[in-house]
Amino acid sequence: MSSAVAAGAILSTPFVKTSWAADETLVLYNGQHAQTTKALVEAFKKATGITVDARKGSSSQLANQIIEEGAASPADLFYSEESPPVATLAEKGLLSPIAKATLSQIPKEYHAKDGTWLGASSRCRVVAYNKDMIDAGKLPGSVLDFATSAWKDKVGFVPTSGAFQEQIIAIEILKGRDAALAWLKGLKENGKIYNGNGAALKAVENGDVATALINNYYWFSLAKENGEDKMKSALHYVGHQDPGALITVSAAGILKSSKKQETAQKFVEFMVSADGQQAIADSVAEYPVREGIKSPYKLLPFKEIGAPAVTPADLGDAADALALRREAGLA
């Protein structure tokens, strides 16, 4: 995804308040971080009077639940921390097309090619490093370099995280399947496994490991909690269109089985409106997908990330990531 994505000129249509049944409630299966969804649904209710019942779970588990429930699913919408679980539902024909007027509010790189889902916010893959253990100038220029003996016991990673699956697929797209498999085998041999990105970052902070492969917003969340001036870690942006600088999105779709199609369309319309995007941007250190929204966090300017030309739609359902992890002995 190029920096032009964020800077591109997008048609700006303000969210229009209309009359809705105040007692109407949407059911949202929520895999996104709870505080972000809470901020969004509160802003939506303030704008429309419509209540959203957000039911939390992991994105992959909720996608599987929707598949099992089929037409009997009580959910009207699915909001995922990553795009592959939503893409899985789209590939199974379980999502309704999103209105073109809504999709036109964001760059085309941020929604499905068939219009069945859209990105709500974006983030980038980064390397968190302990400033007392590693000189920033000695950090490698590619995420592939961390899977070597030179980084034995110096790099942490989370093989089960959704963003890690996306990074595997990005390497497969950019470098080939053999390279992706070799990277995973190298990390298994030389890296340290953690059960979550937050845990990996805290390990860097505590000096248990020198670096960790995470998403950028985890660092800002911890810095907000601990105080930025007290952070022992910092972020290394790999850049150079390397898969280590991959941009990914949180994503949402409307279930075809929903009996509240019109109201659900209104929710995703609000999600990418100026008010909806501001609510998301204020709640988490992710990048808005809509132009003109300011984040309160000190994010690296989007155009300086140097992300590779791999879109969320290119990543698809990321199914081969699990196969690759199994071949590498990581699943």
Side-chain angles (χ1 to χ4, degrees):
M1 191 180 306
S2 71
S3 59
V5 169
I10 304 302
L11 293 175
S12 179
T13 302
F15 184 78
V16 179
K17 296 181 180 179
T18 54
S19 177
W20 298 88
D23 59 348
E24 190 165 17
T25 298
L26 289 170
V27 174
L28 172 71
Y29 278 11
N30 178 44
Q32 174 59 304
H33 293 280
Q35 79 276 9
T36 300
T37 302
K38 182 175 184 290
L40 179 64
V41 300
E42 287 181 350
F44 179 66
K45 184 173 184 178
K46 183 178 180 181
T48 64
I50 299 169
T51 299
V52 177
D53 177 10
R55 303 180 183 180
K56 187 75 175 76
S58 79
S59 298
S60 58
Q61 289 174 341
L62 290 172
N64 288 331
Q65 184 175 331
I66 290 169
I67 293 169
E68 290 180 3
E69 292 171 341
S73 177
D76 299 299
L77 298 138
F78 178 39
Y79 187 12
S80 174
E81 186 177 351
E82 311 90 19
S83 59
V86 183
T88 297
L89 299 186
E91 291 176 7
K92 291 184 176 298
L94 297 176
L95 300 181
S96 295
I98 293 173
K100 292 182 180 179
T102 298
L103 297 175
S104 70
Q105 299 303 303
I106 60 175
K108 63 180 181 180
E109 289 85 352
Y110 285 135
H111 60 70
K113 294 175 181 176
D114 63 1
T116 52
W117 55 265
L118 54 72
S121 57
S122 69
R123 73 298 290 254
C124 62
R125 296 291 286 170
V126 294
V127 179
Y129 68 97
N130 186 301
K131 293 179 286 186
D132 296 329
M133 299 174 72
I134 293 288
D135 185 328
K138 295 182 180 179
L139 289 165
S142 172
V143 73
L144 301 181
D145 294 335
F146 285 98
T148 64
S149 59
W151 289 89
K152 180 72 175 178
D153 296 329
K154 297 179 182 177
V155 58
F157 67 107
V158 186
T160 56
S161 82
F164 189 79
Q165 317 311 303
E166 294 173 293
Q167 197 160 40
I168 293 170
I169 298 302
I171 293 172
E172 184 177 25
I173 292 171
L174 294 166
K175 307 292 184 181
R177 197 174 192 281
D178 289 346
L181 182 57
W183 183 67
L184 290 171
K185 289 181 175 178
L187 284 180
K188 182 176 184 292
E189 176 69 23
N190 300 295
K192 291 185 175 182
I193 293 175
Y194 293 89
N195 61 8
N197 287 287
L201 175 58
K202 288 183 178 178
V204 174
E205 272 291 299
N206 295 335
D208 297 329
V209 67
T211 67
L213 312 180
I214 62 172
N215 287 339
N216 67 314
Y217 58 82
Y218 286 96
W219 187 90
F220 288 96
S221 295
L222 190 60
K224 184 177 181 180
E225 179 180 331
N226 293 348
E228 186 173 338
D229 59 332
K230 297 178 181 177
M231 292 291 285
K232 295 182 178 179
S233 64
L235 295 182
H236 170 59
Y237 293 86
V238 177
H240 309 297
Q241 290 74 52
D242 186 83
L246 179 69
I247 297 290
T248 65
V249 298
S250 63
I254 300 169
L255 270 67
K256 190 177 288 183
S257 58
S258 170
K259 303 298 190 294
K260 302 172 183 174
Q261 293 289 321
E262 186 178 2
T263 313
Q265 288 283 352
K266 205 66 183 176
F267 183 82
V268 293
E269 178 190 359
F270 181 80
M271 181 177 270
V272 295
S273 71
D275 289 346
Q277 286 287 286
Q278 193 63 64
I280 292 172
D282 288 345
S283 70
V284 65
E286 296 189 12
Y287 294 87
V289 294
R290 184 190 181 98
E291 187 182 7
I293 306 300
K294 293 184 178 179
S295 170
Y297 297 91
K298 298 177 182 176
L299 301 177
L300 181 74
F302 193 90
K303 63 182 180 181
E304 296 180 17
I305 293 174
V310 178
T311 70
D314 292 335
L315 299 173
D317 63 6
D320 201 38
L322 178 58
L324 282 162
R325 282 173 48 214
R326 285 174 173 158
E327 290 177 45
L330 284 168

